[in-house]
Amino acid sequence: MKNLFFASLILFAFSTVAIAQQLKSPEGKFVMEFSLQNDGTPTYNLKYKNKEVVKTSKLGLELKDDKKSLLNDFTVVDTKTATFDETWKPVWGEVDHIRNHYNELAVTLNQKGTDRQIVIRFRLFDDGLGFRYEFPAQKNLTYFVIKEERSQFAMTGDHTAFWIPGDYDTQEYDYTKSKLSEIRGLSQKAYTANVSQRSFSPTGVQTSLMLKTNDGIYINLHEAALIDYSCMHLNLDDKNMTFTSWLTPDAKGDKGHMQAPNHSPWRTIIVSDDAREILASKMTYNLNDPSKIENTSWIKPVKYVGVWWEMITGKSSWSYTNDYPTVQLGVTDFAKAKPNGTHGANNANVKKYIDFAAANGFDAVLVEGWNEGWEDWFGHSKDYVFDFLTPYPDFDVKGLHEYAKSKGVKIIMHHETSGSVRNYERHMDAAYKFMNDNGYDAVKSGYVGDILPRGENHYSQWIVNHYQYAIEKAADYKIMVNAHEAVRPTGIARTYPNLIGNEAARGTEYQAFGGSKPNHVTVLPFTRLIGGPMDYTPGIFEMDISKMNPENTSHVNSTICNQLALYVTMYSPLQMAADTPENYNRFPDAFQFIKDVAVDWSESKYIEAEPGDFITVARKAKGTNNWFVGNVNGETPRTSNIDFSFLEKGKKYTATIYADAKDAHYKTNPQAYTIKKIAVTNKSKLSQFSAPGGGYAISIIENK
């Protein structure tokens, strides 16, 4: 249902402002007030249930090499309101339908002295506020360069924050929990080493930023529909507790090259006094355009295994030979090279994974390191680094395709760019056609290392446009994309649902690089996942990495049951069973949950949630009456209490509970678990122990 109407607003005066307008959310929980200060500076504030959550905050943009920026001297020349209400069906998701219901205020401003116009558009939902800047076609504002966007988010106090340091190139950090006033003192410690990174401020943080007030209000700051614009960070004025937008610069230091008509992404503020509602919010998706892919029948959720973890742990290698310290594509003859004996992407090993996938009901096998160039791929600022077409001598593209096809399994392509985006675009059409010709319908792309062209950042406007170009070009070839090291998602998967996964955060691989905090997975759904699913690559069963590689003493800070629960709590239509077949074969009873759990859902119920502490989620598998529950726990042991009221009345189910043993602990006893079956109905209740860094997983199957 769509219902659209327009009306004029009544303008009224305040003593400290020139004019002000109010906008209420459909159910009235939120009130947003827009106003112009006496000097013509646009501002807004936001209240939730009569409590101020964002104090009066300034809006505007500073322009480069321009006599007058878009900051003040504005007058209101037009205002329009609208109400919009529709229900749409995602191609894949946590739910099978999403309501998009908001009230809108569009304020047209004219600037004195320049006769320039901008529109600030606000959309107020029942879960929060989105606003953006729009630049209509006009003679006095055509091409312009953004020096900085000056959107403010003035907080009402020294809130608790779950944050990672601001960085133009990576989000692969552990989260820090602190008061806003403590960010400056903790920033250096929070900023850990990465292969490509660039910080900008001791009080700079990244979005999605999760906050909690002293009186129990949860606030999430992020952006939606990041298209043709720089990724937004936030810089904190820790004297006044005010965040200001901070865009990622390009190689010249510019924050955005604009051509009107155009608009910025949406700036989003999700608010609730119930943490579960933050997780359930679909506002970010609703601020994106509907799907531009008309026929989406080829886009399907995927559960996969892969030749990956053995390389991440150091047991195997991506490279084929140790003979060549440097290689040149089309010149180096790998047929004459001596194999190093550790190359993971060899025919026999890939067939082993294909057999394992087929025997256990997985859809696909990811294979990394299959193509020439891995001997000197990283750290050399190398432009022509891969061609994405030429396999090593021990990888038979056609033979493996036919073998996988005979087993009912597909192979997932891997395109590592080494940050050379020009080289990737140079080869993209041929690479995607190669995928079509050889039965690959999904690609994991990577952008490890500093970006080429030199001086560009992973999150600057030009590189953001490259990621978008890759998604849209892939859609032309009916290819699904899982982009790693790309910009964090902002709901664009609604518009291009072939973007079935992103990394853009600290994933499981870091468990083999020294480990992540045991509560990391209780924060990610409140932050990184707000904008879209993450290819987190869960399912590790052997926590002592030295058993994979004696030279790697890392430890996975998780219990086995925590790893199982991630398939439910870390929503993604693309889920990997990341460990090796050998490790799964050691624990076949626990592995059964990974085999059974769905990757596409019709309903999702957030049962318990507190950022940094615990999350419990129940999801109904699409097309069935079966449910799966996941609980992940932080560092403090606790008892989780849930009821099964989400189950259908009058039906009987068998629940299989995979739970931490009483003496389980992520560090000292991570493989201690119990499995039991119980009968449940919608009247059943459960109290279940969760160990430090632990959790539980439940499959609930309807009795026939």
Side-chain angles (χ1 to χ4, degrees):
M1 179 188 73
K2 296 184 179 181
N3 179 25
L4 195 64
F5 69 88
F6 293 93
S8 298
L9 283 172
I10 300 174
L11 307 184
F12 52 93
F14 275 82
S15 59
T16 58
V17 297
I19 52 175
Q21 296 88 29
Q22 276 193 352
L23 181 68
K24 291 185 178 181
S25 61
E27 293 182 359
K29 290 187 292 186
F30 289 92
V31 177
M32 190 282 300
E33 186 174 273
F34 170 83
S35 62
L36 280 183
Q37 294 182 336
N38 287 329
D39 66 350
T41 298
T43 69
Y44 76 100
N45 62 59
L46 182 64
K47 292 181 179 178
Y48 169 72
K49 294 184 177 179
N50 297 318
K51 289 184 178 180
E52 192 171 47
V53 290
V54 180
K55 298 191 297 184
T56 297
S57 302
K58 295 180 180 180
L59 300 171
L61 298 104
E62 184 179 356
L63 305 185
K64 179 184 178 182
D65 298 330
D66 203 295
K67 292 182 179 179
K68 194 167 188 175
S69 289
L70 299 172
L71 294 171
N72 53 26
D73 274 349
F74 286 108
T75 59
V76 175
V77 295
D78 187 37
T79 59
K80 286 185 171 65
T81 59
T83 292
F84 186 81
D85 193 2
E86 70 168 358
T87 297
W88 58 279
K89 294 184 177 182
V91 176
W92 43 259
E94 299 176 89
V95 293
D96 59 11
H97 65 278
I98 295 173
R99 188 181 185 188
N100 184 15
H101 189 198
Y102 60 81
N103 290 334
E104 181 177 278
L105 168 65
V107 182
T108 302
L109 302 173
N110 192 83
Q111 189 176 44
K112 298 175 184 177
T114 66
D115 196 29
R116 292 169 169 172
Q117 286 195 352
I118 65 170
V119 176
I120 304 179
R121 189 176 302 274
F122 300 91
R123 288 182 179 172
L124 197 52
F125 301 77
D126 288 320
D127 44 354
L129 174 68
F131 66 86
R132 74 180 184 188
Y133 304 93
E134 299 178 1
F135 312 102
Q138 57 195 288
K139 64 179 182 179
N140 292 335
L141 189 67
T142 53
Y143 292 92
F144 58 99
V145 179
I146 297 173
K147 184 177 181 181
E148 190 58 85
E149 182 185 319
R150 297 295 183 190
S151 302
Q152 290 186 345
F153 306 83
M155 299 292 97
T156 59
D158 190 9
H159 303 334
T160 298
F162 298 83
W163 57 276
I164 55 176
D167 195 295
Y168 298 150
D169 283 294
T170 184
Q171 285 205 304
E172 295 176 347
Y173 295 114
D174 261 318
Y175 282 87
T176 299
K177 176 184 177 181
S178 76
K179 292 290 188 181
L180 295 178
S181 59
E182 296 170 333
I183 290 176
R184 183 183 298 272
L186 295 171
S187 182
Q188 188 172 359
K189 183 180 178 181
Y191 191 74
T192 52
N194 196 281
V195 296
S196 180
Q197 57 190 156
R198 185 180 170 196
S199 65
F200 60 86
S201 166
T203 57
V205 297
Q206 299 192 53
T207 70
S208 172
L209 176 67
M210 190 67 208
L211 303 160
K212 185 180 180 182
T213 70
N214 289 335
D215 56 352
I217 303 296
Y218 300 88
I219 303 170
N220 186 279
L221 304 179
H222 194 30
E223 63 180 323
L226 173 58
I227 300 283
D228 194 19
Y229 206 83
S230 294
C231 172
M232 181 183 74
H233 301 72
L234 299 170
N235 198 35
L236 176 66
D237 173 355
D238 49 5
K239 291 183 179 179
N240 298 304
M241 302 304 166
T242 297
F243 289 104
T244 302
S245 56
W246 186 289
L247 303 182
T248 304
D250 62 17
K252 295 174 61 178
D254 297 331
K255 300 292 184 90
H257 287 255
M258 307 294 287
Q259 178 187 359
N262 207 337
H263 56 76
S264 74
W266 295 94
R267 281 60 189 98
T268 61
I269 309 168
I270 303 172
V271 182
S272 180
D273 53 11
D274 186 337
R276 298 173 299 176
E277 293 183 353
I278 302 292
L279 297 176
S281 173
K282 297 296 179 286
M283 194 180 89
T284 309
Y285 283 109
N286 281 331
L287 287 167
N288 280 266
D289 291 338
S291 177
K292 292 188 177 181
I293 302 173
E294 292 184 9
N295 176 14
T296 59
S297 61
W298 52 274
I299 302 172
K300 299 182 183 299
V302 178
K303 193 191 297 185
Y304 71 107
V305 296
V307 184
W308 175 76
W309 186 242
E310 60 185 79
M311 281 98 87
I312 292 295
T313 58
K315 177 184 178 182
S316 301
S317 65
W318 286 269
S319 61
Y320 172 74
T321 182
N322 298 334
D323 286 356
Y324 303 147
T326 178
V327 300
Q328 292 179 302
L329 298 181
V331 176
T332 303
D333 187 355
F334 284 93
K336 296 180 179 179
K338 177 184 177 182
N340 56 23
T342 61
H343 183 226
N346 65 76
N347 292 328
N349 197 35
V350 173
K351 285 183 178 179
K352 180 187 77 173
Y353 279 85
I354 291 171
D355 290 343
F356 182 79
N360 291 284
F362 288 83
D363 304 300
V365 175
L366 166 71
V367 183
E368 296 198 9
W370 67 277
N371 56 320
E372 292 183 357
W374 287 92
E375 284 69 22
D376 65 345
W377 72 282
F378 174 74
H380 302 295
S381 192
K382 188 176 182 180
D383 183 27
Y384 191 33
V385 58
F386 294 112
D387 67 6
F388 313 101
L389 299 172
T390 308
Y392 281 123
D394 60 349
F395 187 86
D396 180 359
V397 173
K398 293 190 180 299
L400 287 170
H401 164 52
E402 291 301 322
Y403 186 79
K405 186 177 180 181
S406 72
K407 299 279 186 173
V409 173
K410 293 188 176 182
I411 304 179
I412 297 176
M413 175 57 70
H414 183 232
H415 288 166
E416 176 54 61
T417 69
S418 190
S420 182
V421 297
R422 184 180 74 157
N423 185 57
Y424 194 27
E425 292 185 7
R426 178 191 290 140
H427 290 95
M428 196 173 286
D429 277 291
Y432 286 161
K433 186 177 186 301
F434 178 85
M435 288 178 62
N436 286 165
D437 292 343
N438 291 283
Y440 296 82
D441 60 6
V443 60
K444 174 185 175 181
S445 57
Y447 297 87
V448 175
D450 293 336
I451 290 290
L452 289 172
R454 298 175 184 92
E456 283 291 341
N457 299 300
H458 280 76
Y459 306 150
S460 59
Q461 181 186 23
W462 193 81
I463 307 302
V464 166
N465 288 350
H466 162 79
Y467 303 138
Q468 188 64 32
Y469 175 79
I471 297 166
E472 295 182 24
K473 178 65 71 171
D476 292 341
Y477 289 86
K478 295 185 177 181
I479 288 171
M480 299 179 287
V481 175
N482 167 28
H484 281 228
E485 295 89 30
V487 72
R488 76 284 190 278
T490 55
I492 288 171
R494 180 189 179 187
T495 311
Y496 289 93
N498 65 316
L499 180 62
I500 60 167
N502 278 104
E503 185 190 35
R506 187 182 180 96
T508 298
E509 63 185 354
Y510 277 84
Q511 299 281 22
F513 302 160
S516 296
K517 292 180 180 178
N519 73 336
H520 186 55
V521 294
T522 68
V523 179
L524 283 172
F526 287 99
T527 52
R528 162 62 186 78
L529 271 72
I530 293 294
M534 180 179 177
D535 183 28
Y536 185 71
T537 60
I540 304 303
F541 279 13
E542 179 50 69
M543 312 309 173
D544 182 355
I545 303 302
S546 69
K547 292 182 180 179
M548 295 278 289
N549 173 14
E551 296 180 2
N552 188 340
T553 59
S554 299
H555 187 275
V556 179
N557 294 321
S558 166
T559 68
I560 281 183
C561 288
N562 179 283
Q563 291 290 307
L564 297 180
L566 294 174
Y567 290 92
V568 185
T569 62
M570 293 281 291
Y571 168 69
S572 178
L574 178 75
Q575 290 283 22
M576 184 182 197
D579 213 331
T580 62
E582 293 84 359
N583 286 332
Y584 289 134
N585 289 337
R586 291 167 54 203
F587 304 95
D589 52 354
F591 183 57
Q592 186 64 44
F593 181 82
I594 300 178
K595 293 167 60 176
D596 292 340
V597 69
V599 288
D600 200 16
W601 312 98
S602 59
E603 293 182 57
S604 292
K605 305 292 184 182
Y606 286 92
I607 299 171
E608 302 174 305
E610 183 62 33
D613 291 337
F614 55 85
I615 296 172
T616 307
V617 189
R619 304 192 195 274
K620 185 179 182 181
K622 188 175 288 186
T624 77
N625 206 24
N626 300 329
W627 288 76
F628 294 85
V629 177
N631 164 272
V632 289
N633 190 41
E635 296 191 60
T636 303
R638 69 181 293 269
T639 298
S640 170
N641 294 296
I642 67 171
D643 64 56
F644 294 86
S645 57
F646 51 83
L647 298 176
E648 187 175 344
K649 291 182 180 179
K651 298 283 187 179
K652 294 181 179 180
Y653 301 80
T654 298
T656 305
I657 304 172
Y658 304 77
D660 293 325
K662 290 183 178 180
D663 59 347
H665 188 282
Y666 73 89
K667 201 73 171 180
T668 59
N669 200 14
Q671 294 171 326
Y673 61 88
T674 64
I675 302 175
K676 65 179 180 180
K677 292 181 182 289
I678 61 172
V680 295
T681 69
N682 76 314
K683 296 180 180 179
S684 300
K685 300 181 185 299
L686 176 70
S687 293
Q688 183 61 57
F689 170 72
S690 291
Y696 60 85
I698 310 174
S699 62
I700 307 172
I701 309 302
E702 180 186 5
N703 295 341
K704 298 296 184 182

